[in-house]
Amino acid sequence: MAQTYQAKIYVTLRPSVLDPAGTAVQSGLTHMGYDNVERVRIGKYIELSLTANSADAAAQQLDRICDQLLANPVIENYRFELEELAAV
Amino acid sequence: MAQTYQAKIYVTLRPSVLDPAGTAVQSGLTHMGYDNVERVRIGKYIELSLTANSADAAAQQLDRICDQLLANPVIENYRFELEELAAV
């Protein structure tokens, strides 16, 4: 029976990749007086719901979705959490 | 004594606000054959480290930083997690 899953996906730049947006935010914070803030990195946070027959099937599909559309595997990492919502 | 805290900040659009980027991603997924995906919402995920005298002080500063720079309180919500890293 198909289940609905709520997915929370975190896409972050790989540590070796420069993050100009994060640097800009850190610079802005310094100018605002928050000079105790460091290592600002900006990523994406995506929520979606999907139906699948099992949590494994949902996770496999999410892996494909992340690799193909949501993340750029060359420069980004991703991870996700799945939560079962309800039977359909 | 000052402590270093690692913060993970999630900025999401308020539920009542339209999310054209999320709609575009959902449309793209449908075209790619993933027609079991719904309610795609795209937000920001920000990591940073900051030093403060206590977790309370760090949380108060993060509230100000989110309100002033990282989130637009009119259309966005935010939440964050703090983790103590090490004494400075």
Side-chain angles (χ1 to χ4, degrees):
Chain A
M1 191 168 65
Q3 304 279 329
T4 301
Y5 296 89
Q6 176 72 24
K8 298 178 177 180
I9 304 160
Y10 310 87
V11 179
T12 50
L13 282 170
R14 289 180 184 270
S16 58
V17 177
L18 287 176
D19 180 2
T23 307
V25 165
Q26 183 167 338
S27 169
L29 288 171
T30 303
H31 278 93
M32 292 162 68
Y34 301 115
D35 53 4
N36 60 334
V37 176
E38 289 187 324
R39 291 197 293 279
V40 181
R41 305 281 288 178
I42 298 184
K44 283 177 287 187
Y45 170 65
I46 301 150
E47 292 178 342
L48 57 81
S49 66
L50 77 170
T51 55
N53 288 324
S54 70
D56 276 354
Q60 284 177 22
Q61 185 178 358
L62 266 184
D63 268 324
R64 290 197 301 273
I65 286 175
C66 287
D67 279 328
Q68 293 176 13
L69 186 70
L70 298 182
N72 177 350
V74 177
I75 58 169
E76 290 172 327
N77 292 321
Y78 65 83
R79 62 189 164 84
F80 54 77
E81 298 159 6
L82 272 176
E83 184 191 348
E84 191 173 318
L85 283 185
V88 177
Chain B
M1 191 168 67
Q3 305 278 330
T4 301
Y5 297 89
Q6 176 72 24
K8 298 178 178 181
I9 304 160
Y10 310 88
V11 179
T12 49
L13 283 170
R14 289 179 184 271
S16 58
V17 177
L18 287 176
D19 179 2
T23 306
V25 165
Q26 183 167 337
S27 168
L29 288 172
T30 302
H31 278 93
M32 292 163 68
Y34 301 115
D35 52 4
N36 59 335
V37 176
E38 290 186 324
R39 290 197 294 277
V40 181
R41 304 282 287 177
I42 297 183
K44 284 178 285 187
Y45 170 64
I46 300 149
E47 292 178 341
L48 57 83
S49 66
L50 76 169
T51 55
N53 288 324
S54 70
D56 274 356
Q60 283 176 24
Q61 186 178 355
L62 267 185
D63 268 325
R64 290 197 302 272
I65 286 175
C66 288
D67 278 328
Q68 293 176 10
L69 187 70
L70 298 182
N72 177 351
V74 177
I75 58 169
E76 291 172 327
N77 292 321
Y78 65 83
R79 61 190 164 84
F80 54 77
E81 298 159 7
L82 273 176
E83 184 190 349
E84 191 173 318
L85 284 185
V88 177

